Amino acid sequence: MEVMNKRSSSFSDGKIRMIQGAILALALTIFLGNLMMWIIMPTFTYYQKWVPVLVAATNSTFFDIQGPIMMNFTFPILFIAVLGCLYVHLEKKKSDIVTSSYRNKDWLKILKKPKIIKPLGIVTWIELFFLAMFIILCVWYFSAFVYFHYSTITTYAATKGVEVWQARIDRLALVIGLTGNICLTFLFYPVSRGSSILPLLGLTSEGSIKYHIWLGHMAMTLFTIHGLLFILFWAVSGRLHEMLTWDPHYISNVPGELGLLVGLILWATTFPAIRRRMFELFFYTHYLYILFMVFYLLHTGMFYACIMLPGFFLFLIDRYLRFLQSKQKVRLISARVLTCETVELNFSKISGLEYSPTSIMFLNVPSISKLQWHPFTVTSNSNLESDTISVVIKCEASWTKKLYSVMSLPSSVDHLDVSVEGPYGPASTHFLRHDTLVLISGGSGITPFISIIRELIYMSSTLKCKTPKILLVSVFRNTSQLSMLDLLLPIAGTPSGCSSNLDLQIEAYITREIEPAQEKSEPLRTILFKPDHSDAPITPILGQNNWLWLAVIISSSFALYLLFVGLLYQYYVYPMDHGTNKVFPYHTRALFNMLFIAAAIVIAASAAFLWNKKKSARETKQIQDMADSAKSLNSLLAYADQELESLPQQSLDKSIKTHYGHRPDLKRILLEVKGSSVGVLASGPKTLRHDVAAICSSGLVENLHFESISFTW
């Protein structure tokens, strides 16, 4: 029977891999076709041959010129997003089936080796390749458009009534703005937390924030030069009055200038010196992206906006779904307070909410700040702890300090209003492909590794899988921070035999003390919160088949948007443009498009959300009824008392070796690790992560494989 089950799983897994391969091939084909459109767009071929063909092929009375542009640049990317939803859905099914075939060969391991490049940080060869390709695309786009416009510069100068050299400044400013539009096109993909495109590339939103930062700096640099060159052109040609023009039939200057001003304010707060010292200022000014995008659309109209529309469209869907989830207050069950200014929050969830190790969850506590949302690593495991989900929070800034002060009061609060977004994380993990895992953390950087260790506990004790040896190297400032190691095991659900099944070694380094503290460390303090009838367990925002529902939302919202736009053009824009002497204003078209996008997303996403909320209402009510019962509260109290004396905890203590007064010799530790494949993960301060990446990329040994996973937001 066991052989038959393995064959069935292998067969099912093979079918899933075949379907995923077909999806990837189709997505790649569509992307390459879309890339070709990007390449030929700044050429005569596109405007003289391709656009007329598309206009003739589409019903121009229904979409006008917006139709072919959307067919070229908007529809293909949204279709890839739908394919990505299907791919990730199958990936989750595959991770449920596979239990013993994790040790696949990673054919891209050479290209995944890290490199330390000062302006960029830790990057892989794959990232450098795509960065180079993107820069080449921008250079091609710029140079081709310069050639396109400069080839007719004399005619343009005569039409404009300016000198040729002045006209060159004008056209150069336009081309730089168009090049900046490429950066804006890709800007929103990394910050779509529930993105279906990033998993196709093996990325997560938290690990892609650096791309958002790079693209943001590039876009604002180009847009700033774009604006300054136009001001220069108006000054040298005696046309400064054009700064105040709002042309209803072409590019409007006033919204462009307002958009640039808003963008500069937003950009100024993103530099590390300001962001780290005044995070609240950075956080609040980032909401100016709404005004920036409104002014951008009013400035360019939909012709140019269709190019960047896919990324922004997907971001708006993700943002609205997050808004719907955040409106529900969640059930906070308990908290474990540590003496090292750290607190673990445990929330109720439905059993169907599954997530991968190293996932993150965003928290909002209205009593501290109604607007601020902060990301924290999920430390629980959805298999070991089917009814709860936990995050660990370390005091580091004003928000976390306020939260800890509330939790550490002698008379602790008995209820706390909390909203969440997430959890978000990788579709699957590949820790079992290695013989040994070396987890290197500094301070609170240990939190992502808690979820990994708990996942391996589940694999070894419940599924009886062969798991890699684990070496956890944790660096702390003082002895009190050793209490964070007590969080490696959950409050509930730990199998008593986990220690014998899991080969775990912990090397703890205390850097600011030369010997153990004399005073006895205080035990963990557990706080139990009273249930509130308005609180609900955390549920998947779109139910069990959330990726399939996301595909439905993307498809239906875009179809609704096309329907709204088509009706506008068919019955209002086209008759006005062709039947009267008036022309429908460009900025009014942009406003209608913004309204239609918002309406389509709200209708489609709200319908899917309400449908799934109704389906999960029964399980939610059962959990709430259990939380309201005194029996549930008493069992939690009993469990909290027993937790510190559990057998797994005692076994864990024996695995810890503590060193005082010095830092770990990371090079020696990594070079001495045995195994044909050693996975190395680093989390914590920037210097620590860079040191580990440098050792792994040095080539001194071939068995070290640096896992390029970002744990910092």
Side-chain angles (χ1 to χ4, degrees):
M1 181 64 69
E2 184 179 355
V3 174
M4 290 180 64
N5 289 335
K6 286 184 178 181
R7 287 180 178 177
S8 176
S9 297
S10 178
F11 177 69
S12 300
D13 182 44
K15 289 196 298 184
I16 289 177
R17 289 184 183 279
M18 288 179 59
I19 298 172
Q20 284 184 308
I23 290 174
L24 284 176
L26 180 57
L28 180 61
T29 302
I30 296 172
F31 172 74
L32 292 176
N34 189 248
L35 181 62
M36 287 301 300
M37 298 309 303
W38 277 94
I39 293 174
I40 69 171
M41 185 183 181
T43 64
F44 288 102
T45 303
Y46 180 79
Y47 291 97
Q48 295 178 356
K49 296 182 179 180
W50 189 249
V51 171
V53 171
L54 285 176
V55 171
T58 58
N59 186 356
S60 59
T61 65
F62 203 68
F63 289 114
D64 197 56
I65 190 63
Q66 188 173 334
I69 298 298
M70 292 182 69
M71 182 173 290
N72 282 348
F73 298 102
T74 307
F75 174 75
I77 301 301
L78 293 182
F79 188 64
I80 291 175
V82 172
L83 292 176
C85 292
L86 301 178
Y87 179 88
V88 179
H89 176 75
L90 292 173
E91 184 71 20
K92 285 188 172 293
K93 293 293 183 182
K94 185 176 66 176
S95 62
D96 289 338
I97 294 170
V98 180
T99 58
S100 60
S101 57
Y102 288 90
R103 299 178 183 273
N104 346 358
K105 293 184 178 179
D106 187 1
W107 302 105
L108 298 176
K109 63 183 180 182
I110 296 178
L111 296 178
K112 289 181 179 179
K113 279 189 173 292
K115 292 287 294 182
I116 310 295
I117 300 179
K118 282 193 174 181
L120 304 179
I122 301 174
V123 293
T124 64
W125 286 107
I126 293 178
E127 290 174 323
L128 289 176
F129 172 76
F130 280 107
L131 178 62
M133 293 296 292
F134 179 77
I135 293 174
I136 291 172
L137 176 63
C138 290
V139 171
W140 159 255
Y141 204 74
F142 173 81
S143 58
F145 258 128
V146 167
Y147 175 79
F148 177 83
H149 288 290
Y150 276 23
S151 60
T152 57
I153 195 68
T154 304
T155 305
Y156 176 78
T159 305
K160 195 81 172 176
V162 296
E163 299 291 335
V164 172
W165 67 273
Q166 295 172 346
R168 291 183 185 276
I169 297 176
D170 175 272
R171 296 296 86 185
L172 181 62
L174 173 64
V175 170
I176 290 176
L178 294 174
T179 307
N181 199 33
I182 299 181
C183 301
L184 190 63
T185 298
F186 294 93
L187 183 66
F188 291 97
Y189 292 111
V191 288
S192 297
R193 297 173 193 164
S195 171
S196 60
I197 289 183
L198 293 177
L200 288 175
L201 303 172
L203 301 173
T204 59
S205 60
E206 64 271 17
S208 304
I209 290 299
K210 58 184 177 182
Y211 309 136
H212 176 74
I213 296 172
W214 300 347
L215 291 166
H217 285 312
M218 293 174 66
M220 285 310 305
T221 299
L222 292 170
F223 286 149
T224 302
I225 297 173
H226 165 75
L228 292 176
L229 283 178
F230 264 117
I231 293 174
L232 175 63
F233 165 72
W234 293 328
V236 297
S237 61
R239 297 165 178 249
L240 281 175
H241 63 277
E242 291 193 11
M243 291 183 64
L244 303 178
T245 59
W246 193 312
D247 192 338
H249 309 311
Y250 191 55
I251 302 297
S252 301
N253 295 332
V254 173
E257 293 151 6
L258 292 174
L260 179 59
L261 179 62
V262 169
L264 288 173
I265 296 173
L266 189 155
W267 188 27
T269 63
T270 62
F271 290 94
I274 296 178
R275 187 182 73 246
R276 291 170 183 167
R277 296 179 183 178
M278 296 178 283
F279 178 80
E280 286 79 7
L281 178 64
F282 158 79
F283 182 85
Y284 292 128
T285 55
H286 240 63
Y287 283 107
L288 291 174
Y289 81 88
I290 301 172
L291 281 178
F292 176 83
M293 291 307 301
V294 169
F295 287 134
Y296 168 84
L297 291 169
L298 292 175
H299 173 58
T300 63
M302 292 306 297
F303 180 85
Y304 294 110
C306 285
I307 299 173
M308 55 72 57
L309 183 60
F312 190 56
F313 194 92
L314 294 173
F315 170 77
L316 289 178
I317 291 175
D318 178 75
R319 187 65 188 87
Y320 183 65
L321 289 174
R322 285 158 42 197
F323 167 76
L324 291 175
Q325 185 184 22
S326 67
K327 299 305 290 182
Q328 175 64 58
K329 295 292 185 286
V330 297
R331 166 89 167 92
L332 178 59
I333 301 175
S334 64
R336 291 200 286 180
V337 183
L338 283 67
T339 55
C340 60
E341 296 189 325
T342 301
V343 60
E344 179 191 59
L345 301 181
N346 303 293
F347 299 91
S348 173
K349 76 173 185 70
I350 66 171
S351 57
L353 175 61
E354 297 181 349
Y355 49 88
S356 300
T358 71
S359 295
I360 63 169
M361 191 163 65
F362 285 75
L363 267 61
N364 171 260
V365 182
S367 59
I368 298 177
S369 174
K370 293 183 178 180
L371 292 179
Q372 288 190 38
W373 290 80
H374 293 269
F376 299 100
T377 306
V378 175
T379 54
S380 54
N381 179 265
S382 58
N383 295 304
L384 282 177
E385 303 143 284
S386 60
D387 299 323
T388 59
I389 183 171
S390 308
V391 297
V392 172
I393 301 172
K394 179 77 169 68
C395 273
E396 292 182 350
S398 60
W399 190 91
T400 52
K401 288 179 180 177
K402 290 177 183 177
L403 178 64
Y404 185 78
S405 65
V406 171
M407 295 292 178
S408 58
L409 290 174
S411 55
S412 302
V413 293
D414 58 6
H415 182 266
L416 192 66
D417 285 336
V418 183
S419 297
V420 303
E421 292 179 359
Y424 307 102
S428 61
T429 54
H430 305 284
F431 304 122
L432 295 188
R433 71 154 63 106
H434 302 293
D435 300 313
T436 304
L437 277 180
V438 181
L439 313 177
I440 303 175
S441 68
S444 60
I446 193 176
T447 54
F449 300 149
I450 296 175
S451 63
I452 294 175
I453 291 174
R454 292 188 186 182
E455 173 74 5
L456 294 176
I457 289 174
Y458 169 74
M459 290 286 186
S460 63
S461 60
T462 305
L463 298 183
K464 306 301 180 182
C465 292
K466 182 180 179 182
T467 56
K469 298 178 182 178
I470 305 174
L471 171 60
L472 174 61
V473 180
S474 295
V475 184
F476 301 112
R477 291 182 179 179
N478 48 60
T479 305
S480 65
Q481 293 184 349
L482 282 174
S483 59
M484 296 188 71
L485 296 176
D486 294 335
L487 301 176
L488 289 175
L489 298 180
I491 291 180
T494 306
S496 59
C498 70
S499 58
S500 60
N501 295 326
L502 191 68
D503 189 348
L504 173 62
Q505 178 185 352
I506 302 174
E507 301 285 340
Y509 290 80
I510 310 300
T511 59
R512 296 190 178 181
E513 296 177 5
I514 59 175
E515 59 184 14
Q518 297 299 323
E519 63 273 9
K520 187 177 180 181
S521 61
E522 298 181 13
L524 295 177
R525 186 166 67 93
T526 302
I527 304 172
L528 298 177
F529 295 97
K530 293 181 180 179
D532 189 273
H533 66 88
S534 62
D535 295 341
I538 301 175
T539 60
I541 185 65
L542 295 175
Q544 301 299 312
N545 297 314
N546 57 318
W547 289 105
L548 295 182
W549 277 106
L550 181 59
V552 171
I553 292 173
I554 294 172
S555 305
S556 57
S557 60
F558 186 60
L560 279 174
Y561 166 63
L562 292 179
L563 176 63
F564 294 154
V565 172
L567 292 174
L568 174 70
Y569 276 88
Q570 180 76 12
Y571 296 106
Y572 200 61
V573 176
Y574 188 83
M576 178 181 289
D577 288 352
H578 295 81
T580 66
N581 293 327
K582 298 180 180 180
V583 176
F584 199 81
Y586 271 37
H587 59 268
T588 309
R589 298 187 195 196
L591 287 172
F592 270 110
N593 273 271
M594 283 187 273
L595 176 64
F596 293 155
I597 290 171
I601 291 174
V602 168
I603 292 172
S606 297
F609 170 76
L610 292 174
W611 176 270
N612 284 283
K613 185 177 181 181
K614 184 179 179 181
K615 289 180 65 177
S616 62
R618 181 179 300 177
E619 185 174 357
T620 298
K621 189 176 186 306
Q622 290 176 351
I623 295 175
Q624 287 176 322
D625 291 341
M626 290 176 61
D628 292 337
S629 66
K631 183 179 179 181
S632 176
L633 185 61
N634 291 334
S635 64
L636 278 171
L637 283 167
Y639 219 85
D641 292 337
Q642 296 172 7
E643 185 268 330
L644 288 177
E645 299 178 359
S646 64
L647 290 175
Q649 184 67 42
Q650 295 175 12
S651 178
L652 178 66
D653 293 339
K654 296 178 182 178
S655 303
I656 302 174
K657 184 177 181 181
T658 308
H659 309 266
Y660 290 89
H662 63 93
R663 297 180 180 276
D665 186 348
L666 296 177
K667 186 174 182 179
R668 178 188 60 79
I669 292 173
L670 290 174
L671 295 183
E672 289 179 355
V673 176
K674 305 299 181 182
S676 59
S677 177
V678 178
V680 182
L681 291 83
S683 174
K686 181 179 178 180
T687 52
L688 174 71
R689 290 182 281 117
H690 282 206
D691 289 344
V692 174
I695 296 170
C696 293
S697 61
S698 64
L700 296 176
V701 289
E702 296 297 327
N703 63 341
L704 299 180
H705 305 289
F706 185 79
E707 292 287 339
S708 185
I709 303 176
S710 174
F711 298 125
T712 54
W713 187 253

